[in-house]
Amino acid sequence: MPARTVQKKKKTNAPDLSSLVLEKVPTGIRGLDQVTHGGFPKGRTALVCGGPGTGKTLLGLEFLVRGALLYNEPGVCVAMEETAQELVTNMASLGYDLPQLIRQKKLAIDYVHIERKQIEETGEYDLEGLFIRLRAAIEQVKAKRVLLDTIELLFLGLKNDGIVRAELRRLFHWLKDAGVTAVVTAEMGDRTLTRYGLEEYVADCVLVLDHRVNEQISTRRLRVVKYRGSSHGTNEYPFLLDDQGISVVPITSMGLTHTASTERISSGVPTLDAMLGKKGFFRGSSVLITGTAGTGKSSFAAAFAGATCARGERALYFAYEESPSQILRNMSSVGQDLEKWISRGLLRIHATRPTAAGLESHLATVYNEIQEFKPTVVIIDPITNLVAVGDLHSVKAMLTRLIDFLKLKHVTAMFTNLVFGSGIMEETAVGISSLMDTWVVLGDVDQGESERMRTLNLLKSRGMSHDTRMHRFTLSDKGIEIHGNK
Amino acid sequence: MATSKKTAGKPENNGSVDRKKSKATPFKRPVWELRLYVAGMTPTSIRAFENLKRLCEEHMHGAYKIQVVDLLERPMLARGDQIIAVPTLVRRLPTPVKKIIGDLSNTERVLVGLDLRPAGGWR
């Protein structure tokens, strides 16, 4: 097999080496192929480990199912933990019809059950029975992919560890010879990667799944610990389990390689455009609008969304505070008819409670929605509520990743942020403002005589001459109007 | 290995095996239905078969049936009895089903496994 010969020759990657480079099979799992730079090592065994309930089996099964559906590579599942019927039920909840795949001979499931209590051991034996079953199943569907879930149950079922270890070693060699790409799942150990040290036998590609709960909010993460003969992403990537299966979010900070656009787009408020060098925001920039409660942050967001749709572009609005109908009603009172843009398919409002999921899941949702809807403008209203589910540090980390991703796609982003108290910049606002290209601060000044004056200050706007004076603005059914500048 | 069968011969007069001692069927002995799963004629499988035959002769007094299944020839049979290790001896009758894996070299353990002798030893 063209395997170990090329290891860390990244820079001198001459084209004639391509035949020597490790071949990979795509998993077909959303995002995972990007993280692993192409999938699992072809004809070898990958180890997926994690604690209970981290999604090991589902990842393995999805590898088989997607292989059968997308790449015409039938699969065999040796299930030691769950019966075939249980697996069918579990996968049905993710939208996969296993019985149909079995009928089409694209999938075979062999449920291997060992009950230690029923078994007496005396003298020598080997696990040829398991080999024979696996071989028969592989021949039955002409399998190219194999899932062993969870092979380490052999250690629980059989008393003689020595035999099991020797046989496992033989099994992994045998799988390699059989030319199938295999996934082995294993339970996380206390101090080792897996409870029974399976990583000792399978060391080509190791994935660790993790399921953390922080303040009642859970986040699933995936990490490629090891990938012999291949480069791979090394970060922890959040992943989602939803009705479409697993999706890994392959975004982390991508660095500052994005190209900056000089194109300008309107903020939707002509008088604000005038302050922004008379043209508006840069396309692909990120805009922060902060202000105390009721200063009109969402109105600016709605105006921006409206202007985007009026140009015939798509805007995606993430609402973490109000329901879509509430937003539509409130915005129509300041002259923004957003409903027509929704019916024309140019605007999508995605409303969720921030506490409904962890930060990473929100990031994953945002990512999936952007991939699907392909907007040119994304509005997150407000990011304040996200701070409720994570500390400032992780919010900043998430925003950095999100902003990098958006910039790469030339998507203009607007974030609103609620601050408390007047005049003093909130810690959160200061913390994330360094990520932003433009920062608009809204406020209101109590004038004493039962009237409050709304104020707007353009605190920064990178790369353009802008008006830095404090301005008064009004909200009416004609929209937003900023006074005192031309 | 070809499938070989050995069926009950004449019952011998040893009452100690017949633990039921039922008055209604005084002459009926338990019929032992055993199946030995192997993978080819390996030294281990031959040893297991020989151990088993000797043990049956000594303790079951002809009231037994051994079926040898070679999984290399009939791989699909491995699923039904949940075989992963070879050799595996399956006691199909009397119920409940019992499994003993290994070359059956430790006679005591086999007898315990087949319920011919309780774990503590009563004889």
Side-chain angles (χ1 to χ4, degrees):
Chain A
M1 231 161 281
R4 242 163 260 186
T5 39
V6 177
Q7 277 199 335
K8 278 173 188 168
K9 289 194 173 177
K10 250 181 121 179
K11 288 216 168 144
T12 55
N13 235 347
D16 57 316
L17 280 177
S18 58
S19 62
L20 299 172
V21 171
L22 180 70
E23 262 190 278
K24 296 184 184 179
V25 291
T27 61
I29 297 171
R30 288 176 293 168
L32 185 57
D33 292 336
Q34 276 152 282
V35 172
T36 53
H37 297 180
F40 287 152
K42 187 178 183 183
R44 298 189 185 194
T45 305
L47 175 65
V48 178
C49 44
T54 46
K56 303 183 289 290
T57 306
L58 289 178
L59 191 141
L61 274 176
E62 200 167 327
F63 169 70
L64 295 187
V65 170
R66 296 222 175 220
L69 290 174
L70 301 175
Y71 307 108
N72 199 24
E73 294 201 342
V76 163
C77 170
V78 175
M80 307 193 70
E81 214 159 28
E82 289 162 290
T83 63
Q85 189 51 49
E86 282 166 339
L87 293 177
V88 165
T89 313
N90 296 349
M91 287 305 273
S93 69
L94 301 183
Y96 291 116
D97 187 356
L98 294 192
Q100 194 194 342
L101 286 172
I102 294 170
R103 276 195 303 277
Q104 294 171 340
K105 295 219 165 201
K106 287 181 173 172
L107 181 72
I109 300 178
D110 189 357
Y111 171 57
V112 174
H113 179 73
I114 328 165
E115 185 68 68
R116 189 167 182 161
K117 273 181 250 161
Q118 291 176 1
I119 297 177
E120 190 73 37
E121 291 178 31
T122 155
E124 275 176 48
Y125 62 89
D126 58 38
L127 298 184
E128 191 61 33
L130 185 65
F131 283 68
I132 286 170
R133 284 169 76 165
L134 185 54
R135 199 180 297 138
I138 288 175
E139 276 167 17
Q140 191 192 339
V141 295
K142 298 189 172 48
K144 295 267 187 293
R145 300 181 177 206
V146 167
L147 167 65
L148 302 174
D149 178 57
T150 304
I151 196 79
E152 63 183 3
L153 284 185
L154 286 174
F155 287 103
L156 292 177
L158 300 169
K159 291 179 191 112
N160 194 330
D161 270 19
I163 289 181
V164 174
R165 285 191 186 278
E167 288 297 281
L168 277 183
R169 202 176 287 276
R170 190 161 72 97
L171 177 67
F172 294 131
H173 275 293
W174 182 82
L175 283 171
K176 217 175 224 180
D177 290 343
V180 294
T181 308
V183 172
V184 179
T185 63
E187 198 85 2
M188 202 83 181
D190 280 341
R191 257 172 292 170
T192 48
L193 222 41
T194 59
R195 191 175 291 170
Y196 295 96
L198 284 183
E199 64 270 25
E200 214 178 293
Y201 312 102
V202 195
D204 288 327
C205 177
V206 181
L207 262 62
V208 171
L209 306 186
D210 180 23
H211 189 186
R212 273 174 238 170
V213 180
N214 255 336
E215 297 184 7
Q216 291 104 47
I217 291 156
S218 78
T219 308
R220 297 173 185 278
R221 290 169 214 242
L222 175 149
R223 189 160 69 97
V224 183
V225 177
K226 186 172 183 179
Y227 202 144
R228 204 176 265 171
S230 165
S231 60
H232 59 86
T234 51
N235 293 302
E236 279 196 317
Y237 301 90
F239 74 95
L240 284 185
L241 279 180
D242 58 19
D243 53 0
Q244 289 166 53
I246 293 173
S247 53
V248 183
V249 186
I251 44 171
T252 50
S253 275
M254 293 172 200
L256 300 165
T257 51
H258 47 263
T259 53
S261 170
T262 52
E263 191 192 339
R264 305 286 274 269
I265 54 172
S266 169
S267 67
V269 182
T271 39
L272 180 58
D273 290 346
M275 289 176 72
L276 294 159
K278 298 191 171 66
K279 287 173 185 163
F281 305 125
F282 279 118
R283 185 182 288 283
S285 66
S286 37
V287 180
L288 175 67
I289 298 186
T290 60
T292 48
T295 45
K297 296 181 294 297
S298 296
S299 304
F300 276 93
F304 187 40
T308 305
C309 297
R311 283 196 306 272
E313 296 174 17
R314 289 182 187 180
L316 184 55
Y317 196 122
F318 290 94
Y320 292 119
E321 213 165 47
E322 298 170 287
S323 70
S325 68
Q326 204 179 340
I327 291 172
L328 295 180
R329 184 200 67 195
N330 296 351
M331 289 311 128
S332 66
S333 75
V334 290
Q336 274 301 334
D337 179 13
L338 294 179
E339 205 150 359
K340 69 177 175 201
W341 303 126
I342 290 182
S343 58
R344 286 187 208 170
L346 290 173
L347 176 67
R348 183 183 285 183
I349 299 180
H350 185 99
T352 41
R353 281 272 170 220
T355 44
L359 270 185
E360 302 289 3
S361 308
H362 281 302
L363 180 62
T365 313
V366 168
Y367 174 81
N368 282 347
E369 284 273 325
I370 290 170
Q371 292 284 72
E372 194 202 323
F373 192 59
K374 297 183 173 46
T376 60
V377 164
V378 168
I379 290 161
I380 296 191
D381 180 29
I383 46 173
T384 326
N385 289 20
L386 289 178
V387 181
V389 292
D391 53 283
L392 179 60
H393 177 76
S394 41
V395 171
K396 194 173 173 182
M398 173 201 161
L399 281 177
T400 310
R401 288 152 67 177
L402 181 58
I403 288 171
D404 281 352
F405 169 68
L406 292 170
K407 289 203 169 191
L408 210 64
K409 298 235 159 206
H410 292 289
V411 175
T412 315
M414 182 180 275
F415 305 88
T416 72
N417 189 27
L418 174 71
V419 294
F420 307 95
S422 55
I424 309 151
M425 293 309 152
E426 268 284 305
E427 193 197 352
T428 41
V430 175
I432 54 181
S433 67
S434 64
L435 300 169
M436 303 293 171
D437 299 308
T438 302
W439 185 5
V440 180
V441 177
L442 306 179
D444 49 8
V445 178
D446 206 336
Q447 289 188 311
E449 290 158 22
S450 73
E451 203 200 343
R452 290 159 77 84
M453 185 179 76
R454 295 176 190 277
T455 61
L456 179 146
N457 193 358
L458 201 48
L459 217 65
K460 81 167 177 186
S461 197
R462 283 176 183 153
M464 62 176 84
S465 64
H466 58 275
D467 190 338
T468 54
R469 286 171 298 168
M470 176 84 86
H471 291 277
R472 194 168 66 82
F473 75 97
T474 49
L475 281 177
S476 69
D477 57 1
K478 292 191 184 72
I480 304 165
E481 192 155 358
I482 303 168
H483 306 281
N485 68 302
K486 283 191 174 181
Chain B
M1 195 187 289
T3 305
S4 74
K5 279 189 183 179
K6 179 152 183 146
T7 324
K10 270 188 182 175
E12 283 168 41
N13 56 340
N14 192 335
S16 62
V17 173
D18 190 352
R19 286 158 57 195
K20 283 188 183 167
K21 293 192 172 144
S22 164
K23 294 266 177 194
T25 52
F27 300 111
K28 179 141 188 183
R29 296 183 174 282
V31 173
W32 296 80
E33 203 179 306
L34 306 170
R35 196 179 267 183
L36 182 67
Y37 287 92
V38 294
M41 285 279 264
T42 63
T44 318
S45 42
I46 292 168
R47 199 160 58 240
F49 181 69
E50 279 166 359
N51 284 334
L52 179 64
K53 223 167 73 178
R54 178 173 45 77
L55 198 135
C56 288
E57 279 305 323
E58 277 173 32
H59 297 274
M60 294 170 194
H61 316 285
Y64 63 90
K65 198 163 39 170
I66 301 174
Q67 188 185 10
V68 177
V69 177
D70 187 351
L71 291 176
L72 291 183
E73 286 167 16
R74 307 176 71 184
M76 296 318 271
L77 287 181
R79 276 196 195 191
D81 269 328
Q82 282 292 359
I83 304 304
I84 53 159
V86 286
T88 296
L89 173 66
V90 179
R91 183 187 85 174
R92 294 167 68 81
L93 278 178
T95 52
V97 172
K98 294 264 177 182
K99 279 181 204 164
I100 302 167
I101 61 180
D103 62 8
L104 312 177
S105 53
N106 185 333
T107 310
E108 283 300 307
R109 294 285 290 276
V110 180
L111 292 178
V112 170
L114 289 174
D115 278 347
L116 276 167
R117 188 168 293 174
W122 53 278
R123 270 211 277 199

